[in-house]
Amino acid sequence: MSDTESPSEASAHEHHEHHHDVEGPGYATPQAAVEQSEREKVAYVMSLYVGTDVDAPDFLAVVDVDPESDTYAEVIDRVEMPNVGDELHHFGWNACSSSCHVEGLERRHLIVPGNRSSRLHVVDTKNRENPEMVKTIEPEEVHDHDLSAPHTVHCIPDGEILVSMLGDADGDLPGGFLELNDDFEVVGRWDAPGDIEKNYDFWYQPRQNVMVSSEWAAPKVYQPGFDMADVEAGNYGHQLHFWDWENREVVQTVDLGEEGMIPLEVRFLHTPESTHGFVNAALSSNIFHFWEDRESGEYRAEKVVDFEAREHPDWDMPVPALPTDILLSMDDRYLFGGNWLHGELYMYDVSDPKNPRRADTLSVGGLFGDVQELGGRDIVGGPQMIQLSLDGERLYWTTSLYSTWDNTFFPEEAEKGSVMLKADVNPRKGTMTLDEEFMVDFGEMPNGPARAHEMRWPDGDCTSDVWQ
Amino acid sequence: MTEYEVELVWEGAEKADREANIATREDETVLEAAERADLGLPFGCRIGHCGSCTGRLLTGDLEHARRPLALKDRHLDDGYVLLCIAEPRADCRIRVGVDVQRELVSNPWK
């Protein structure tokens, strides 16, 4: 039974009941998600107008990803935000597999933050194809806790929600974490102010009593755009913070150094037994593996993938790869990611996490991609946010990073809009194949060309679900 | 009540130039006055850290009501202003629109 179906609707799906050994949302184990999930039929996609000439609110796009449908690969609904200028970026579910023991809780509401506005929106997806905005938390209520610039949303067990916040009430440092309850009310600040300075993404592994958080920069630094003077001034992050999950305090900070500049997406392996994970250092174009050393009980981090800069005839300096997103397949077998500037998707076998093995790559979009056009339009920008089907067989991606950064590196994206593309993955062979039939053109939206960022599926995805 | 005349100028490479005149009331920001006149100017945080509303003061005088954190000294020296927190202190002429924000930074590798 899917999370948002009422019991009466579920009667039509009773053939699923024998699989359903959890009382709440999600799946009993990561492998159960692989086996029991149905193919994704819609995708929710953050879509935005910030930094373009279009004077319209950002929106949550509902994309039809069901090949049996007449509207396959089209945006079939748009949930507009009540204000302009939010910069929708990352978003998350009210509940995931970490609450699979909580009877009656549903994976149904999306928490959709505005990264510039500090406004939080709650969208009800009971009707999956036509979700509905049900609540807005205004910026002033967020600023009251001396926080701004919401980023990653993870539900935490028992229906509460944690949001990483990149700045204080002025858009300066320190950032922190904001906690919401299961009625989507602000509970308050989750962490002790000043325990960290910079913040970005986080992931928690409750069985190991650990949370890890990464670092971008203060909102006042990254929001106006990427300025090398800020790198030289030390305004960009290069550390990972390991927290005592129960006690909500940082117990260890690991400095990744020069090779670990701007560590972004932190992904623990899905299996709750593991202390291994990965993070992409975007500016240094490296991927780090981190793990708990069993003897000392301390976390360590080591660079395991290094992407070389490439010469481009129109650029004065070698172009860095800029790996801006990574994820782990639900079976923890593969790490996927994208090099946004170069225009490359990669798939690493991480069955030995200390020694990732490059399984396959796709050269598409960006500055060097072999494929620069699809469905009759230019692909502007390389692979950026990625999302994988729960069964690991379909990888989707969008092309916008952040409005001001897009405008510096791929300025045409403001006029042409983003695209959402797809590759078919063979997890047995370790291969990816570009699906040339699939392209969602965000250049063709009613209010004008839009950017597209993070994607999620209604039944959970590889970047949402955590197990206790 | 002190009112100042503010001329807003859109100068984009790919679109026709456009101008509009608005008047600001006492302690009113340029963005608030533009909204009162139903003119869409870009904005984001509304408290001076994100830079979405960046304009460039061509003539006149204005004060930022709080610290313009999105702008560095070099931007302030060049006349860039944050319209969400900028209150005129004289009649002003200001270049506006998303293109102004894009001038704050450039690609360091190109």
Side-chain angles (χ1 to χ4, degrees), chain A residues 51-53 55 84-85 116 143 169-171 220 223-224 226-227 230 314-317 320 404 407-409 414, chain B residues 14-15 40 43-45 47 49-52 66-67 69-70 72 74 98-99 101-102 104-110:
Chain A
T52 73
D53 288 325
D55 184 24
V84 297
R116 283 176 193 265
H143 295 154
D170 292 322
K220 69 168 185 179
Q223 287 182 342
F226 178 68
D227 186 346
D230 284 313
D314 298 337
W315 289 45
D316 301 328
M317 306 273 285
T404 35
N407 283 344
T408 298
F409 297 107
Chain B
E14 291 172 20
K15 49 191 170 293
F43 66 88
C45 69
I47 54 174
H49 64 71
C50 88
S52 301
R66 51 193 288 167
R67 288 192 301 154
L69 290 179
K72 296 188 166 74
R74 69 172 199 264
V98 289
D99 301 300
Q101 199 283 332
R102 296 180 191 184
L104 296 184
V105 295
S106 57
N107 185 336
W109 298 296
K110 195 169 179 179

Side-chain angles (χ1 to χ4, degrees), chain A residues 39-187:
Chain A
R39 183 182 170 131
E40 63 285 353
K41 294 202 167 79
V42 297
Y44 300 124
V45 184
M46 295 287 89
S47 310
L48 52 155
Y49 284 118
V50 175
T52 73
D53 288 325
V54 179
D55 184 24
D58 298 348
F59 59 96
L60 181 151
V62 183
V63 175
D64 186 338
V65 290
D66 177 4
E68 304 299 314
S69 165
D70 293 341
T71 50
Y72 180 52
E74 291 177 20
V75 174
I76 55 171
D77 192 25
R78 296 176 309 116
V79 181
E80 288 199 324
M81 300 300 111
N83 297 79
V84 297
D86 289 305
E87 183 123 24
L88 302 187
H89 194 60
H90 287 218
F91 64 131
W93 289 106
N94 67 308
C96 78
S97 298
S98 69
S99 294
C100 70
H101 58 289
V102 182
E103 193 176 349
L105 192 65
E106 297 175 287
R107 187 201 312 264
R108 172 169 154 181
H109 290 93
L110 285 167
I111 318 304
V112 180
N115 182 263
R116 283 176 193 265
S117 66
S118 297
R119 190 177 288 107
L120 298 156
H121 312 88
V122 182
V123 175
D124 183 352
T125 67
K126 180 166 178 60
N127 182 330
R128 291 185 169 193
E129 296 184 353
N130 302 106
E132 187 185 357
M133 175 84 61
V134 291
K135 182 170 178 173
T136 304
I137 298 170
E138 290 299 323
E140 292 74 20
E141 199 179 341
V142 173
H143 295 154
D144 281 348
H145 299 277
D146 202 16
L147 293 167
S148 67
H151 191 271
T152 300
V153 177
H154 273 299
C155 65
I156 56 181
D158 304 327
E160 301 210 309
I161 294 147
L162 196 57
V163 187
S164 61
M165 308 293 294
L166 275 48
D168 69 7
D170 292 322
D172 210 332
L173 298 176
F177 290 87
L178 186 73
E179 185 180 356
L180 309 180
N181 66 19
D182 55 4
D183 289 325
F184 314 116
E185 294 161 337
V186 174
V187 175

Side-chain angles (χ1 to χ4, degrees), chain A residues 170-214:
Chain A
D170 292 322
D172 210 332
L173 298 176
F177 290 87
L178 186 73
E179 185 180 356
L180 309 180
N181 66 19
D182 55 4
D183 289 325
F184 314 116
E185 294 161 337
V186 174
V187 175
R189 192 175 181 129
W190 182 83
D191 57 322
D195 218 8
I196 53 168
E197 288 288 312
K198 301 183 184 81
N199 201 2
Y200 181 70
D201 189 35
F202 72 104
W203 193 288
Y204 66 101
Q205 188 71 308
R207 193 176 297 184
Q208 310 299 335
N209 191 35
V210 65
M211 178 175 97
V212 58
S213 66
S214 58

Side-chain angles (χ1 to χ4, degrees), chain B residues 10-19:
Chain B
W10 284 260
E11 282 175 4
E14 291 172 20
K15 49 191 170 293
D17 291 358
R18 180 159 73 92
E19 293 199 20

Side-chain angles (χ1 to χ4, degrees), chain A residues 157-461:
Chain A
D158 304 327
E160 301 210 309
I161 294 147
L162 196 57
V163 187
S164 61
M165 308 293 294
L166 275 48
D168 69 7
D170 292 322
D172 210 332
L173 298 176
F177 290 87
L178 186 73
E179 185 180 356
L180 309 180
N181 66 19
D182 55 4
D183 289 325
F184 314 116
E185 294 161 337
V186 174
V187 175
R189 192 175 181 129
W190 182 83
D191 57 322
D195 218 8
I196 53 168
E197 288 288 312
K198 301 183 184 81
N199 201 2
Y200 181 70
D201 189 35
F202 72 104
W203 193 288
Y204 66 101
Q205 188 71 308
R207 193 176 297 184
Q208 310 299 335
N209 191 35
V210 65
M211 178 175 97
V212 58
S213 66
S214 58
E215 296 189 333
W216 194 3
K220 69 168 185 179
V221 171
Y222 72 82
Q223 287 182 342
F226 178 68
D227 186 346
M228 198 53 102
D230 284 313
V231 178
E232 286 153 10
N235 292 335
Y236 277 101
H238 46 83
Q239 296 182 327
L240 294 181
H241 305 283
F242 293 91
W243 299 67
D244 181 317
W245 173 244
E246 290 287 327
N247 291 329
R248 306 180 177 191
E249 59 184 20
V250 175
V251 290
Q252 193 190 345
T253 291
V254 174
D255 192 337
L256 303 175
E258 288 283 308
E259 298 262 57
M261 292 299 296
I262 315 190
L264 290 179
E265 314 302 326
V266 277
R267 316 294 190 194
F268 267 118
L269 266 60
H270 295 93
T271 173
E273 281 295 304
S274 182
T275 63
H276 292 262
F278 295 89
V279 62
N280 53 312
L283 185 59
S284 304
S285 296
N286 296 316
I287 296 175
F288 280 74
H289 165 231
F290 57 83
W291 74 99
E292 185 187 35
D293 179 73
R294 280 184 192 159
E295 283 182 18
S296 65
E298 292 194 335
Y299 274 83
R300 303 195 190 287
E302 191 173 83
K303 185 182 78 171
V304 287
V305 177
D306 190 337
F307 297 106
E308 294 291 326
R310 292 178 65 175
E311 301 279 351
H312 188 283
D314 298 337
W315 289 45
D316 301 328
M317 306 273 285
V319 182
L322 228 70
T324 45
D325 191 21
I326 57 167
L327 63 73
L328 291 165
S329 61
M330 197 50 90
D331 61 8
D332 295 332
R333 189 179 298 264
Y334 291 108
L335 179 147
F336 293 87
N339 286 331
W340 186 57
L341 284 181
H342 284 186
E344 185 182 53
L345 276 166
Y346 46 85
M347 174 178 185
Y348 280 85
D349 157 18
V350 290
S351 54
D352 174 3
K354 285 179 195 280
N355 297 293
R357 180 185 64 89
R358 179 175 277 227
D360 201 8
T361 61
L362 264 186
S363 178
V364 55
L367 291 164
F368 301 103
D370 293 339
V371 180
Q372 290 290 347
E373 194 193 300
L374 208 62
R377 68 150 282 180
D378 294 340
I379 301 166
V380 181
Q384 210 290 113
M385 291 314 290
I386 56 173
Q387 191 55 270
L388 185 67
S389 59
L390 288 167
D391 64 7
E393 296 188 0
R394 291 165 300 284
L395 182 73
Y396 299 78
W397 67 96
T398 55
T399 50
S400 164
L401 173 58
Y402 194 74
S403 64
T404 35
W405 295 44
D406 290 354
N407 283 344
T408 298
F409 297 107
F410 293 110
E412 321 88 83
E413 195 150 1
E415 285 85 43
K416 293 185 176 168
S418 300
V419 292
M420 176 175 166
L421 302 176
K422 168 178 170 273
D424 293 310
V425 180
N426 183 333
R428 285 282 153 225
K429 298 284 185 190
T431 58
M432 295 186 287
T433 312
L434 180 67
D435 178 356
E436 296 187 7
E437 304 301 311
F438 184 91
M439 191 204 56
V440 185
D441 186 358
F442 284 82
E444 299 292 329
M445 294 292 106
N447 289 325
R451 305 177 198 276
H453 196 67
E454 199 176 37
M455 298 156 280
R456 297 211 174 279
W457 322 126
D459 287 319
D461 44 63

